[in-house]
Amino acid sequence: MRVDERSTDSQKSQNKIQQHKISARGSEGESSFGSLTPAQVKPGQKGMRELESFARPSRVIVDRVKPEIDGGRFPAKRFIDAPVEISAILLIDGHDHLKGRLLYRHETESRFRAIPMTSKGNDEWLASFQPKELGRYIVTVEAAIDRFDTWRSDIKKKLGAGQNVEVDLRTGVLLFEGVLNELGVSEKRLAEEKIKQMNAWIRAKANPDVNELTVLIDDPALEKALDPIYDADSITRYSRELPIQVEPKLARFSAWYEFFPRSASNEPGRHGTFRDAQARLDYVKQMGFDIVYFPPIHPIGVAFRKGRNNSLTPEANDVGSPWAIGGKEGGHKAFHPSLGTIADFERLIARARQLEIEIALDIAFQCSPDHPYVKEHPEWFKKRPDGTIQYAENPPKKYQDIYPFDFETPAWASLWKELLSVVKFWVDRGVRVFRVDNPHTKSLHFWEWCIREIRSEHPEVIFLSEAFTRPHLMAYLAKAGFSQSYTYFSWRNAKWELEQYLTELTKTELIDFFGANFWPNTPDILPEPLQTNNRAIYMQRLILAATLSSSYGIYGPAFELMEYKPRNEGSEEYLDSEKYQLRHWDLNKQGTLAPLIERINEIRKTNLPLQANRTLQFHPVSNDMILAFSKSHTLPDGEIERILVVVNLDPHHVQSGMVELPLFDWEIDPSETFQVHDLLTDARYFWTGWRNYVELNPHSLPAHIFSVRKRTRKAQDFDYFT
Amino acid sequence: MRVDERSTDSQKSQNKIQQHKISARGSEGESSFGSLTPAQVKPGQKGMRELESFARPSRVIVDRVKPEIDGGRFPAKRFIDAPVEISAILLIDGHDHLKGRLLYRHETESRFRAIPMTSKGNDEWLASFQPKELGRYIVTVEAAIDRFDTWRSDIKKKLGAGQNVEVDLRTGVLLFEGVLNELGVSEKRLAEEKIKQMNAWIRAKANPDVNELTVLIDDPALEKALDPIYDADSITRYSRELPIQVEPKLARFSAWYEFFPRSASNEPGRHGTFRDAQARLDYVKQMGFDIVYFPPIHPIGVAFRKGRNNSLTPEANDVGSPWAIGGKEGGHKAFHPSLGTIADFERLIARARQLEIEIALDIAFQCSPDHPYVKEHPEWFKKRPDGTIQYAENPPKKYQDIYPFDFETPAWASLWKELLSVVKFWVDRGVRVFRVDNPHTKSLHFWEWCIREIRSEHPEVIFLSEAFTRPHLMAYLAKAGFSQSYTYFSWRNAKWELEQYLTELTKTELIDFFGANFWPNTPDILPEPLQTNNRAIYMQRLILAATLSSSYGIYGPAFELMEYKPRNEGSEEYLDSEKYQLRHWDLNKQGTLAPLIERINEIRKTNLPLQANRTLQFHPVSNDMILAFSKSHTLPDGEIERILVVVNLDPHHVQSGMVELPLFDWEIDPSETFQVHDLLTDARYFWTGWRNYVELNPHSLPAHIFSVRKRTRKAQDFDYFT
């Protein structure tokens, strides 16, 4: 009989979760609404005549259940390791007290479980559930009049004001008698005792003693007995059932490292293999990354192959772009012959799993003219009026090495199924993370369907959207199912830009479905500020990405070795880009950023505030070259962990200023000293008051990552100095 | 064939607005969505097998149609005198161009009309329609690939880059041939000419001349011919149809004046009548009010009647509270016998209409114990366990002169109908505006139904909600149908309070449905700052109410005569309140605010920016005692009218400061002089630059109401000084 364990039938309501089903007017979109709504009664004569045919409408309103994305059309995203909090506005006319409960079920379950909601004041109610499985949950909210609590509150006030409460005692007797049949044996006995006591007072024709009454009505056992009972006359269910997608923790908190397996060979000039890539995993693990992402590993076409530095006139030994997928050796389900065999790949996956690293593959749904699909399924490609296949183009640009799929083909269903089977093929070989190339140039409906299909068997699979496009299109892909998305971070450098963009990502509804992933660089993007071998700017961008966003990634070894030369001035392409040629990297190069990366990833792993973005808050600094922000995490015991990051955005000069902190919100007494502990350097500072001084030399370290500690007076804090 | 006139069938799509109807899966809430959505295909085996049974999904997405309240559960509010603007996010993968159209119909019509949408960039599209009738409209949005525009854009770019366009010309021929059957006679002839020309170029095997091609594809006649054609293969309709409630202008822009008819007699001590009230209309008209609101005009009960100053021990000649409705003379459909007859009332209504004043009645759904309902319909009231009728109470407070209706009665349907009939009774007697007393203590569903019913025959009726309660409950009543609502303005005095509250009202979704009405006083509320005969504070509060909010009201003559004494210290009740006794008012009293009120109402009427709240913007001032804000109105020709209000919030001292204006947004060159013309005093100031000086003496006038004029250099501007 414990409420939080009791499951209820979502289809066929039981007595205690009774719904006032109102005729079969479900087609008006209000079928699950537990009472008459005027939307169901058409205005005018018809409604008038039919009024009696409706059940008596409940006075209780359930409004604004959140998170709700587009009226429940898309799921909000939550994570397996954190409670899912649902809020609702519960309303009633007058002063009756309400009770509310969250109903939730995994979509594979048919029965809802119920959790009582807690009033937060101002008509807002909250409840949380801890999802036990990945995948899609369905939630809604029910509320009813809490007749017991209303009565209890009223009789207390009246007795307190010295009014005669005989009528209220009679009301209480009726109230308790009305629920007797819904109580278990011991609870029923308890209620009967209460009735007896109240009847005795009524017979005595005198007000009960305040203390006696309090003992009777504030009895925790009574409260517990009545808690699961929902007044059938007034129960109302929210008009919609809302989906919540529960994803693995890695979807929210992840550090990505991209490298080209073909450049992983330890001998200059030799084509790298899966074995080489496997050998490099220890290096990546040492830096603390969770996900290793490979560009496509499939056969590469020869027709229209691009040469070094994107040349249209390749040389004979040029290896081509991995994104020109498909050759005589096969297509999206085949390996590039120089990389190795299925056995090599499976060993690589197994080793990665040992190291707790996920291997992410690149899903690039496009074909080189040599792809087997081109001959086997010409119906999946668009024909031009001259009979040739339509290559990719963005006029006047032509990409003749690439054939896009035609999502308007009459054979769309077989195309969708084949593309789905590609993802399934790799899932079946142990891949759990996919980086999807340009998803915004393929049917958006396809992605929603494809991701749903994959997750129906593998809800742990994560998809990263590489959609560097317009904001609404990026947001739609996130709603359609992508766990994470590349962002504009790569081009946000100034303080105001970062504050504005992060505010958009974390303080609008995007936070409920858009999983931001911050990349300082990619093989396609060497941003202008990184086109210099200034170590400070590399450190700054790394720290910003890794602390502003719970998910971030770098394209290495180019990043940690500070590969900074562009193909030409004004270009964001790398000179001698690995996209078109093999590269050899000296991982032990003097000045590599690998040790700093290791430190930062360790700080991220051991500090919960950095593992999510919702709490991000910027703080005023008296210097526009210094950015300050904090993130927090509330532990189950209510304690709050807090990280404060201060970054010098100027890669050339020492900058200093006063950082202003919201001590009131942080519950720090402005007159007392508190400690900020720099997790990068292990330095500790004692600060006092709202505004404190910071000074950062970009050439040593352009940032502080502070752990903020309130209780500075404990012995162990002072011990830090010994 | 003009697009904006062509109506389309919402039930049975015609060729040009073809919908891909997908099986009968309407119950999943996506029935009107024009293509497959993954929400319709359940994941796993079932979906896979069924994929072919769906129509080919369109690549076009229609997202975020606005205004949408709670997923379309409630209507957004708009007004008969202003265009209704609908926005949508239209998306497609890749670079195809789109076209979109707004579909709208009055709910009494069965066919949609279509209006082309305009792209505003960043995937946002807009269209507006001018509602021709009051009542509820239904809107949705359709979009499709604009294959003509895509082709036109591509071929231009290719030709511009010197590429061979033969294939593109062939594509063009196919494109034009594909739509021939959908064109009218002359449009068809035009298209055939174009085809002929393109075929000639194709035969010539040479690129056409750029100018010749431009003449062919940029032909306005061609564009006009193709504009109404929506590509059936790609058309997508938004998943929901959204309601828009079109209300009369008066619902948005109104000045209310409340007075007690029984105190309108011109002889002290005599009970006022409808004739007296009628005589007073000229006085009210002179001040420029639109709506005169009367407290209840019904018979008043004698049981538990309250005496002067809310005394529980009335004297024999005490008149009682008008809100204790119902006596032996009748109830909610009867007149208080001292006020007059139905003929008197009808003359009053007729005179008011002559003066373009609406008479607002008070709907207070509660009964005195003497109300005829109590005997005739005991089933509408709640019985206490001792058999007596439950009077109103908010423990420990008792209101024994009031019986509330029991909205949980099994006879709820007959109760609802009777209450509806009360409103209808007064509507039938010419009343078009109702102020509803405490709607938050009656079933919220009842109001939604009742207002819908009234408006099904009389969409011009306006309801003002007197719900001084918690914010979510007030907002819900607005969603449920109330045109306007009293607000917390009465208690917002400091600059930060006003800025915060107005930002909530105008910059959140409340602006779409919550019609704020600002009252500096009511018979129930004499706010503490007004409990002094300081003229400055009365002027200040009046100007704030009338300019911050497009709808405002005062309770007179108490307000303009600065009746300032509370019943007792700490109370917001008036001493000798008209609620419990007759009062006689000397309208010619020295110092009446009537002339100022007249001036302000005239300014409101002649300045469109003050007739709505959506554009409200606050401006920084270097003095926290000075509030500055502006409102704007865009005329059909694109010209913007702008009003800037600057108020000294200190009722005691002269305050001065620098007002900072967003000249960039206002398109005023900071180096040039512009004029601000004070409409209160007719003074004109020439300002230059972002920051300008203001100084306000509260004892003369605590505010400027400036008209901001950009073009100060015209002769007529300088003439102002002559």
Side-chain angles (χ1 to χ4, degrees), chain A residues 625-677:
Chain A
M625 293 309 286
I626 298 181
L627 181 76
F629 58 92
S630 68
K631 289 178 164 184
S632 65
H633 179 88
T634 305
L635 296 167
D637 67 1
E639 274 297 298
I640 295 175
E641 292 187 2
R642 210 176 295 278
I643 292 289
L644 170 68
V645 182
V646 185
V647 183
N648 177 359
L649 298 177
D650 178 351
H652 303 295
H653 308 103
V654 173
Q655 295 282 351
S656 62
M658 302 298 286
V659 178
E660 186 178 323
L661 298 176
L663 296 194
F664 185 78
D665 295 342
W666 290 9
E667 297 182 350
I668 293 178
D669 182 335
S671 67
E672 289 195 7
T673 296
F674 60 100
Q675 191 199 83
V676 293
H677 172 197

Side-chain angles (χ1 to χ4, degrees), chain A residues 56 64 163 396 408 509, chain B residues 56 64 163 396 408 509:
Chain A
R56 180 175 51 187
R64 299 286 163 95
Q163 295 172 12
E408 294 190 336
E509 65 166 357
Chain B
R56 181 174 51 186
R64 300 284 165 94
Q163 296 173 11
E408 294 189 336
E509 65 166 358

Side-chain angles (χ1 to χ4, degrees), chain A residues 30 52 56 63-64 70 73 93-94 123 157-158 163 393 395-396 408 417 440 470 479 509, chain B residues 30 52 56 63-64 70 73 93-94 123 157-158 163 393 395-396 408 417 440 470 479 509:
Chain A
E30 295 280 341
E52 283 84 356
R56 180 175 51 187
D63 200 25
R64 299 286 163 95
D70 294 353
R73 164 72 178 83
D93 58 281
D123 299 318
K157 286 179 190 159
K158 288 179 183 179
Q163 295 172 12
E393 56 178 359
E408 294 190 336
K417 285 186 193 177
H440 59 294
R470 301 179 305 281
K479 291 196 288 190
E509 65 166 357
Chain B
E30 295 280 341
E52 283 83 355
R56 181 174 51 186
D63 201 26
R64 300 284 165 94
D70 295 353
R73 164 71 178 84
D93 57 281
D123 300 317
K157 286 179 190 159
K158 288 180 184 179
Q163 296 173 11
E393 54 178 0
E408 294 189 336
K417 287 185 192 177
H440 60 294
R470 301 180 305 281
K479 292 197 287 190
E509 65 166 358

Side-chain angles (χ1 to χ4, degrees), chain A residues 260-265 270-277 338-340 582:
Chain A
F260 284 68
R262 72 183 184 184
S263 291
S265 145
R270 180 171 69 72
H271 194 290
T273 64
F274 288 137
R275 285 166 188 258
D276 296 319
S338 303
L339 286 171
L582 305 186

Side-chain angles (χ1 to χ4, degrees), chain B residues 445-463:
Chain B
H445 283 324
F446 164 74
W447 291 119
E448 190 177 3
W449 172 82
C450 174
I451 293 171
R452 276 282 264 163
E453 289 290 334
I454 292 296
R455 290 196 176 140
S456 69
E457 289 175 21
H458 292 281
E460 73 279 19
V461 175
I462 292 171
F463 293 87

